[in-house]
Amino acid sequence: MIVTFPHMGDMSIALKELFTGLGRQVVLPPPISKRTLELGIKYSPETACLPFKINLGNFIEALEQGANTIVTCGGVGPCRLGYYAEIQQGILKNLGFNFDMIVVEPDIVDIIKQLHRVAFKRNFWEVYLAFRLALAKIHAMDSIQRKVNMIRPREVSVGESDFIWRQTVDVIDAAENLSTLRTAWHKGESELDEVKLKSGTRPLRIGVVGEIYVMLESSINQNLDWRLGNMGVEVYKTMYLSDYINGHLFRKREYLKKFKYLADLAQPYLGHYVGGHGIKSIAHTVNMGQEKYDGIIHVFPFTCMPEIVAKNILPKVSNDVDIPVLSLAFDEQSGEAGIVTRLEAFIDLLRYRRVKHHLA
Amino acid sequence: MTIRIGLPRGLLYYQYGSIWEKFLQELGAEVVVTGDTSKATLNCGSGLDEVCLPAKVYFGHINDLYKQVDYLFTPRIISVAAGQYTCPKIIGMPDMLRSNIDNLPPLIDVNLNLRQNSRSLYQAIITVGHMLGKNAISSLYAWYHAWQYRRMDQAIRYSKPNGQRIGLIGHPYIIYDRQISMNIIDKLNHFGIDVITPEMISNRQAAIAAKTLGKKIFWSNGDHMAGAALALIQSGQPVDGLIFITSFTCGPDALIGELVSQRAQALNIPCMLLTVDEHTAEAGFVTRLEAFTDMLIRRKQS
């Protein structure tokens, strides 16, 4: 059994840790490239959403490199993600690949059952350790990334925080146990703390809401965080992998409480869960509007159903809580220049608003 | 004075419209149903961004309607069966309406969610009755009456398997809306072809056929459509071809269409995907239908 799985941001680092910890050989899909995208587009239904196509591209490339077991996620709708696996399996079989697909449905009992299938001659304690280390890596990476997003618009020498971040991610990737991981994490954080910051700047604060895949996968969102940071914007992504895991998998009380709070905020605009993150996009926009952020960028894959519902409601929210919202749909045609132009225009607008408010 | 309630002819109207209309009338309301979809409906409908054509059409019908009525009947249909959902755009529709039209009359947007709770239907019925000043008993009685009416109304047209038979797979709100579907059924009949739609396949038949899928489909329309398509191609007398008609950016259909064409391909049954949107030109549409039916005829001769 040679395991592979789809890419999403830095998730591969954690999953690689988990499956090797469970005693399996892992083949990472090659980093998402033009070829990944081309393969995905070629064999996917035309109007499937972008994550579907890229996942499929990942699978094809990993199977070519010798993987024979795909681990991917399921779901119960109404977002399409839950039915990806079934369709992708058919497409890959038609292409002549020979493989097993393990579909992990989003509940903790099923996850444990499926992990048991993957775990190779490992006892409960070892499974627990593998799981714990993988989770810790996710937390470490997310926490570093949050910090980098704060520092980027303020740093004196451009690119310093990114350099530290990339180095830290490599060390986190290599960490074999919790203590080396913690050392790497703290070292990264303290190095970031020492980055020289410009004094007296008050960067724009922009919240990023929307669909998790596009939000986390920088090869798809055209390096959104980095771009905004370099344009002098402090970026608050409303969702990281750790949030997803704590909220959806472990259903931690603080996350459920927060979700309840958010759902209440969204209630006047969107009265029911529509799958995916649609309701959160609305809720975070209300929330960040109340907290006087400068603007919201709403990202989602083209044809994403929950986010299209949100998109049609956001103009009203934007008007009511007085916060500008830019909706960006990403697909395989999304070009760098188009995105950059829209971001620049949006940021100009936000700067202008700030000056106007300041004078008023 | 009787209350005027507007009922847009779009989306799930094609599945449940007659029963809703009867139900509201039984409750003593005057029901105003919009006419057939027209070009003008489509123009009004483009107020919504990036949604599928049927959702735009629905929005267009609301635009036609909202100024002449006291209430709009736009229930939030979340789920019509255990473990299933309708599509997110249908679930979010009342909110999209509210956010995009000013001065909207009150919406009757009761939640209907049979996904986990089978009593939800009765709660919804009672809530609607309550809004119109009726008590629970008379609301339930009105629903019962409407339901009886629907059962008499349902007449199934089975075609004789003499000539070519095509399974036309698609949402009722696409197939039966003559504007959206470009009148595809009449066109095919005109070519001398018998058309079988998913509505002509019983729920039971579709459910049995859908059992061959690896994972149960969680959209109720998609589930029935896929089940019907499989029933049509897997039966002892399979159809000669399948046409899967969908609207551009329909989320579930992007996957269901792929699934159906995978299965049809495996059984060597021709399957054509037709995608419509507000820009679809009739000439191109007819050409594709002709090419497909010609191919079927030639295939049968050889």
Side-chain angles (χ1 to χ4, degrees):
Chain A
M1 187 187 269
I2 304 171
V3 175
T4 191
F5 40 80
H7 274 304
M8 180 168 88
D10 287 327
M11 185 174 76
S12 59
I13 290 173
L15 288 183
K16 189 180 78 185
E17 184 58 52
L18 178 64
F19 293 124
T20 42
L22 295 175
R24 291 296 177 184
Q25 203 183 332
V26 170
V27 168
L28 282 185
I32 297 171
S33 63
K34 212 166 162 225
R35 179 165 185 266
T36 319
L37 201 55
E38 274 165 8
L39 286 171
I41 294 164
K42 187 169 173 190
Y43 298 114
S44 300
E46 189 187 344
T47 52
C49 33
L50 200 54
F52 181 99
K53 297 179 181 175
I54 296 166
N55 284 177
L56 188 70
N58 286 154
F59 294 155
I60 293 175
E61 288 189 314
L63 292 172
E64 283 171 352
Q65 297 199 355
N68 61 16
T69 306
I70 295 171
V71 179
T72 186
C73 68
V76 290
C79 156
R80 277 180 280 183
L81 176 69
Y83 218 74
Y84 275 13
E86 184 66 20
I87 307 288
Q88 285 166 338
Q89 207 166 359
I91 296 172
L92 292 171
K93 289 257 152 82
N94 277 348
L95 289 175
F97 288 110
N98 197 5
F99 63 96
D100 264 338
M101 199 175 223
I102 296 178
V103 185
V104 183
E105 295 293 336
D107 82 88
I108 198 83
V109 180
D110 189 69
I111 289 172
I112 291 167
K113 213 166 75 189
Q114 301 291 10
L115 277 180
H116 193 71
R117 253 178 91 187
V118 180
F120 180 63
K121 288 185 185 162
R122 287 291 193 272
N123 63 32
F124 183 78
W125 179 244
E126 284 167 316
V127 170
Y128 170 75
L129 286 182
F131 215 41
R132 198 174 65 169
L133 182 57
L135 283 174
K137 286 191 172 185
I138 291 177
H139 281 283
M141 287 187 297
D142 287 354
S143 133
I144 299 269
Q145 210 186 338
R146 276 197 195 97
K147 203 154 195 166
V148 172
N149 278 341
M150 298 281 290
I151 294 172
R152 244 189 230 120
R154 296 185 168 90
E155 64 195 0
V156 173
S157 59
V158 175
E160 198 180 345
S161 59
D162 274 297
F163 179 74
I164 298 170
W165 176 34
R166 246 170 284 136
Q167 264 190 336
T168 312
V169 167
D170 285 345
V171 187
I172 289 177
D173 189 9
E176 280 171 350
N177 54 47
L178 271 187
S179 73
T180 47
L181 169 66
R182 284 203 186 110
T183 321
W185 181 1
H186 291 149
K187 183 161 167 280
E189 295 239 352
S190 57
E191 276 176 9
L192 284 174
D193 286 335
E194 279 162 24
V195 171
K196 261 213 193 89
L197 302 181
K198 290 181 232 169
S199 57
T201 46
R202 199 164 67 89
L204 289 171
R205 290 198 306 164
I206 292 185
V208 180
V209 304
E211 196 272 341
I212 186 167
Y213 189 87
V214 172
M215 204 186 299
L216 297 185
E217 182 51 61
S218 55
S219 65
I220 298 313
N221 65 27
Q222 310 270 352
N223 271 319
L224 190 67
D225 309 6
W226 174 82
R227 249 174 235 291
L228 287 170
N230 288 341
M231 291 176 179
V233 175
E234 212 176 284
V235 180
Y236 287 85
K237 285 200 288 192
T238 51
M239 208 164 0
Y240 285 91
L241 201 52
S242 46
D243 299 323
Y244 186 82
I245 289 172
N246 286 331
H248 289 250
L249 246 48
F250 295 126
R251 308 189 71 78
K252 284 197 177 161
R253 192 182 294 158
E254 64 198 86
Y255 278 88
L256 291 183
K257 227 165 92 186
K258 193 171 157 213
F259 182 72
K260 175 80 179 55
Y261 171 71
L262 288 172
D264 286 345
L265 282 182
Q267 180 68 33
Y269 300 100
L270 180 56
H272 194 273
Y273 169 76
V274 288
H277 316 287
I279 204 162
K280 280 190 203 144
S281 299
I282 307 269
H284 281 299
T285 304
V286 178
N287 190 20
M288 290 174 145
Q290 288 169 351
E291 288 178 6
K292 299 288 171 219
Y293 277 68
D294 292 290
I296 298 285
I297 294 181
H298 174 222
V299 296
F300 58 95
F302 180 60
T303 77
C304 171
M305 300 186 286
E307 298 302 337
I308 284 176
V309 175
K311 188 196 167 180
N312 277 296
I313 297 172
L314 280 173
K316 170 103 170 129
V317 180
S318 159
N319 204 16
D320 287 1
V321 294
D322 192 30
I323 185 168
V325 177
L326 173 69
S327 278
L328 290 176
F330 289 84
D331 71 359
E332 58 261 34
Q333 317 282 356
S334 296
E336 183 183 331
I339 300 288
V340 172
T341 311
R342 274 184 279 174
L343 290 180
E344 281 172 351
F346 188 59
I347 287 167
D348 280 349
L349 167 92
L350 299 185
R351 291 232 162 85
Y352 174 72
R353 263 173 64 97
R354 207 183 233 191
V355 173
K356 210 174 74 178
H357 277 257
H358 189 67
L359 294 177
Chain B
M1 220 184 82
T2 50
I3 297 171
R4 285 164 67 87
I5 299 181
L7 187 55
R9 191 184 292 269
L11 294 179
L12 299 182
Y13 175 86
Y14 287 92
Q15 274 141 290
Y16 309 110
S18 60
I19 185 166
W20 289 339
E21 192 179 342
K22 191 79 187 158
F23 170 59
L24 295 172
Q25 281 166 353
E26 290 281 329
L27 289 174
E30 184 192 338
V31 182
V32 184
V33 184
T34 42
D36 282 336
T37 309
S38 65
K39 280 256 153 62
T41 323
L42 291 188
N43 289 340
C44 294
S46 48
L48 292 183
D49 261 353
E50 284 189 47
V51 296
C52 55
L53 186 57
K56 288 184 181 176
V57 163
Y58 190 83
F59 189 74
H61 280 286
I62 293 278
N63 257 311
D64 265 2
L65 196 61
Y66 78 95
K67 283 181 189 145
Q68 358 162 352
V69 293
D70 305 317
Y71 286 96
L72 280 170
F73 188 71
T74 53
R76 189 196 299 280
I77 314 233
I78 298 153
S79 167
V80 295
Q84 291 187 330
Y85 281 108
T86 59
C87 104
K89 290 169 201 163
I90 293 178
I91 301 174
M93 187 50 86
D95 300 302
M96 289 200 271
L97 298 177
R98 258 193 294 265
S99 299
N100 285 284
I101 306 177
D102 295 330
N103 306 322
L104 209 60
L107 300 183
I108 301 181
D109 61 343
V110 286
N111 283 4
L112 177 69
N113 188 354
L114 303 181
R115 190 174 132 75
Q116 282 161 337
N117 177 0
S118 58
R119 290 189 310 274
S120 169
L121 175 64
Y122 303 103
Q123 286 159 358
I125 291 165
I126 292 168
T127 316
V128 174
H130 195 74
M131 288 173 90
L132 301 178
K134 301 281 177 196
N135 62 25
I137 303 291
S138 47
S139 309
L140 289 170
Y141 189 69
W143 181 262
Y144 171 73
H145 252 246
W147 187 255
Q148 296 289 77
Y149 167 81
R150 173 192 140 109
R151 281 170 60 186
M152 289 190 303
D153 189 41
Q154 226 170 27
I156 293 174
R157 298 149 293 161
Y158 272 111
S159 50
K160 279 179 245 113
N162 42 13
Q164 297 278 323
R165 288 156 72 240
I166 285 185
L168 177 64
I169 308 299
H171 294 279
Y173 49 75
I174 290 180
I175 293 181
Y176 297 115
D177 187 318
R178 284 158 189 270
Q179 180 73 33
I180 297 181
S181 72
M182 302 242 167
N183 224 343
I184 185 169
I185 298 183
D186 286 355
K187 284 198 170 89
L188 287 170
N189 285 341
H190 183 72
F191 296 146
I193 286 166
D194 282 336
V195 178
I196 306 169
T197 65
E199 278 60 51
M200 299 177 193
I201 308 296
S202 71
N203 287 340
R204 200 174 143 268
Q205 253 178 306
I208 291 170
K211 279 220 175 79
T212 59
L213 295 172
K215 176 175 181 175
K216 193 167 162 52
I217 296 172
F218 44 68
W219 302 285
S220 36
N221 266 1
D223 187 34
H224 185 76
M225 280 155 53
L230 295 183
L232 286 174
I233 57 176
Q234 289 168 351
S235 79
Q237 265 192 321
V239 286
D240 299 296
L242 281 183
I243 295 180
F244 191 94
I245 184 167
T246 175
S247 120
F248 181 62
T249 75
C250 172
D253 279 7
L255 301 188
I256 306 293
E258 170 72 23
L259 187 73
V260 167
S261 67
Q262 275 175 15
R263 293 298 176 106
Q265 202 180 7
L267 293 166
N268 196 22
I269 288 174
C271 176
M272 174 166 72
L273 286 173
L274 269 183
T275 308
V276 292
D277 68 6
E278 57 268 51
H279 308 298
T280 308
E282 186 145 3
F285 192 79
V286 172
T287 310
R288 294 190 63 188
L289 285 185
E290 278 173 351
F292 188 69
T293 49
D294 282 355
M295 183 269 292
L296 291 186
I297 291 166
R298 237 172 256 142
R299 207 164 175 261
K300 207 160 197 179
Q301 280 164 355
S302 61

